[in-house]
Amino acid sequence: QEGKTPSEQVAKQMLKDVLFGTANESNAIFATTFASHIARLKSIYEFGHKMGRRVIFLGRSMHKYIESAKNLNLVDFPDAKIFGFSGEVKKELKKIEKNRNEYLIICTGGQGEPESILNKILTKKIDFELLPNDHVIFSNRTIPVPINIANRNAMEAKLLNKGISIFRDIHVSGHSFRQDLKDMITMTKPQNIIP
């Protein structure tokens, strides 16, 4: 793609605009992104704190990547709870449902995956009732393959049917655009390039 990839700071500002620029005081807020995107998870976590909400991470891949990042001293979420296994997730969501507006829940489901936390909530495999005007933030883009597109479309249709406020594409690419590649090649002066 032509041009330069926008900075992660752009995505951070987009998140800030959604979280602080919309009426959400009495609603549940769910955010989802790539579990491996530690910088984005950190931004969502920090904004949750600034909003005065307790931050909860839900999903096996969230648990796996966050624990790996913590072990490498890349990140620390000192007071956030992280639940990876289905039984733990169900138990925690049951507690959260009573005080839904006190939490920011970061979970799996950005690609509409059938076994993700967000999809299990929508298909009643996990007992948590999303209510009209609750917020779901997709801080990622759908990977453009037919299965992901179909899964995300089905998920969004269920959310819209419930009257959920959806925020899509709160994201910048993690992939280098043409100018970034040109700059990297200029800086590194490689003998060979394997595309």
Side-chain angles (χ1 to χ4, degrees), residues 102-122:
E102 294 176 13
Y103 293 87
L104 192 156
I105 299 147
I106 305 170
C107 66
T108 55
Q111 299 301 313
E113 309 93 320
E115 291 304 306
S116 67
I117 299 300
L118 192 52
N119 199 59
K120 285 181 176 179
I121 290 169
L122 287 168

Side-chain angles (χ1 to χ4, degrees), residues 50-121:
K50 285 181 184 169
M51 296 171 80
R53 290 191 179 227
R54 288 182 264 182
V55 180
I56 307 285
F57 292 94
L58 302 178
R60 274 182 299 201
S61 57
M62 288 286 175
H63 184 268
K64 180 176 77 172
Y65 280 105
I66 290 167
E67 288 303 316
S68 296
K70 281 164 74 175
N71 290 338
L72 293 167
N73 295 316
L74 295 175
V75 74
D76 185 26
F77 300 124
D79 54 354
K81 293 181 179 177
I82 306 162
F83 300 99
F85 299 102
S86 196
E88 299 173 328
V89 170
K90 287 177 182 178
K91 206 166 153 183
E92 194 61 22
L93 280 173
K94 195 163 270 201
K95 285 189 230 168
I96 289 170
E97 196 165 16
K98 296 179 188 95
N99 305 302
R100 58 199 302 115
N101 63 329
E102 294 176 13
Y103 293 87
L104 192 156
I105 299 147
I106 305 170
C107 66
T108 55
Q111 299 301 313
E113 309 93 320
E115 291 304 306
S116 67
I117 299 300
L118 192 52
N119 199 59
K120 285 181 176 179
I121 290 169

Side-chain angles (χ1 to χ4, degrees), residues 22-29 51 53 97-103 131-135:
T22 57
N24 55 31
E25 294 78 15
S26 57
N27 307 109
I29 302 176
M51 296 171 80
R53 290 191 179 227
E97 196 165 16
K98 296 179 188 95
N99 305 302
R100 58 199 302 115
N101 63 329
E102 294 176 13
Y103 293 87
L131 300 175
N133 300 316
D134 281 347
H135 289 194

Side-chain angles (χ1 to χ4, degrees), residues 11-186:
K12 193 170 184 173
Q13 185 59 49
M14 292 167 77
L15 274 169
K16 185 178 180 184
D17 288 348
V18 167
L19 290 167
F20 291 94
T22 57
N24 55 31
E25 294 78 15
S26 57
N27 307 109
I29 302 176
F30 282 77
T32 184
T33 189
F34 300 106
S36 59
H37 201 328
I38 301 302
R40 187 73 50 79
L41 294 175
K42 190 173 182 215
S43 294
I44 300 168
Y45 168 84
E46 287 170 0
F47 289 139
H49 266 272
K50 285 181 184 169
M51 296 171 80
R53 290 191 179 227
R54 288 182 264 182
V55 180
I56 307 285
F57 292 94
L58 302 178
R60 274 182 299 201
S61 57
M62 288 286 175
H63 184 268
K64 180 176 77 172
Y65 280 105
I66 290 167
E67 288 303 316
S68 296
K70 281 164 74 175
N71 290 338
L72 293 167
N73 295 316
L74 295 175
V75 74
D76 185 26
F77 300 124
D79 54 354
K81 293 181 179 177
I82 306 162
F83 300 99
F85 299 102
S86 196
E88 299 173 328
V89 170
K90 287 177 182 178
K91 206 166 153 183
E92 194 61 22
L93 280 173
K94 195 163 270 201
K95 285 189 230 168
I96 289 170
E97 196 165 16
K98 296 179 188 95
N99 305 302
R100 58 199 302 115
N101 63 329
E102 294 176 13
Y103 293 87
L104 192 156
I105 299 147
I106 305 170
C107 66
T108 55
Q111 299 301 313
E113 309 93 320
E115 291 304 306
S116 67
I117 299 300
L118 192 52
N119 199 59
K120 285 181 176 179
I121 290 169
L122 287 168
T123 56
K124 304 288 186 193
K125 289 180 184 172
I126 292 177
D127 192 24
F128 184 95
E129 190 62 40
L130 284 166
L131 300 175
N133 300 316
D134 281 347
H135 289 194
V136 173
I137 300 164
F138 290 102
S139 191
N140 62 294
R141 290 201 183 98
T142 310
I143 297 168
V145 294
I147 189 71
N148 288 12
I149 293 166
N151 285 342
R152 250 299 279 280
N153 286 343
M155 178 180 275
E156 288 193 26
K158 288 176 194 161
L159 290 167
L160 289 170
N161 196 39
K162 287 179 157 293
I164 308 302
S165 298
I166 299 174
F167 302 88
R168 297 176 191 87
D169 298 336
I170 309 302
H171 182 62
V172 294
S173 178
H175 298 274
S176 302
F177 289 1
R178 194 166 288 186
Q179 186 62 45
D180 300 305
L181 295 171
K182 184 178 172 187
D183 291 345
M184 185 181 71
I185 291 164
T186 302

